[in-house]
Amino acid sequence: MGRVLVKIGNLAILNIIYIFVSIFSLGLLLIPATSTLFHFIKKLRDDTYDPYDTIKPFFRKLFKNARKTINIQIVFIALIFFCSFNIINSGKMTYPIYIKNVLLIFYSITIIECLLVGLMVSYLNANYIFKKESDILKMSFYLVHRH
């Protein structure tokens, strides 16, 4: 019973750290934080962790993942910012209503696509080792669109 409570406590601590890191980094560390959370959940499941040392290894792995995926993050954040900015400003333009609707749908799909591929990049980065960033992007794009 004690080991189960330790696992539940570690899971709660990891999720709280994940939420704080995501909020306080303004989304800049969202992909590495998600990747680190997936990694530690896997370690919890496989019993390959030190149950009383959670916070320090989480931040070590977080910054290691941040260095690995910084280029992917920059591209996704720029795309999401660009699409959000255009959604806001397309309403102010004097386009016909059908063009505004097409732009809204296109930019919304692009934002959803970036979020889904970013989530899959996080999962793949936590569980597998890729030599190049293009490999992880290709694999995550394939997995998102496969189903």
Side-chain angles (χ1 to χ4, degrees), residues 111-125:
I111 289 173
I112 292 169
E113 183 77 25
C114 286
L115 293 174
L116 289 175
V117 171
L119 184 66
M120 190 55 67
V121 164
S122 300
Y123 176 76
L124 292 173
N125 189 31

Side-chain angles (χ1 to χ4, degrees), residues 12-95:
I13 289 170
L14 288 172
N15 281 303
I16 290 169
I17 293 172
Y18 170 75
I19 290 169
F20 282 140
V21 165
S22 298
I23 290 172
F24 291 128
S25 69
L26 301 174
L28 295 176
L29 293 177
L30 187 62
I31 291 176
T34 307
S35 177
T36 306
L37 183 65
F38 285 147
H39 174 75
F40 273 88
I41 289 173
K42 181 182 175 192
K43 286 177 76 170
L44 280 171
R45 186 184 64 215
D46 297 341
D47 284 334
T48 58
Y49 71 102
D50 181 12
Y52 301 106
D53 190 22
T54 304
I55 297 172
K56 216 187 288 185
F58 182 87
F59 281 107
R60 274 192 221 122
K61 183 73 174 172
L62 173 69
F63 292 123
K64 182 180 176 187
N65 286 341
R67 284 193 301 270
K68 279 174 59 176
T69 60
I70 190 73
N71 295 335
I72 297 171
Q73 285 175 231
I74 290 171
V75 169
F76 284 159
I77 289 171
L79 273 172
I80 290 172
F81 176 75
F82 172 74
C83 291
S84 302
F85 182 76
N86 284 338
I87 286 173
I88 292 168
N89 287 332
S90 66
K92 298 176 184 175
M93 299 295 180
T94 58
Y95 297 138

Side-chain angles (χ1 to χ4, degrees), residues 103-117:
L103 288 174
L104 177 67
I105 291 169
F106 175 75
Y107 291 136
S108 299
I109 289 172
T110 304
I111 289 173
I112 292 169
E113 183 77 25
C114 286
L115 293 174
L116 289 175
V117 171

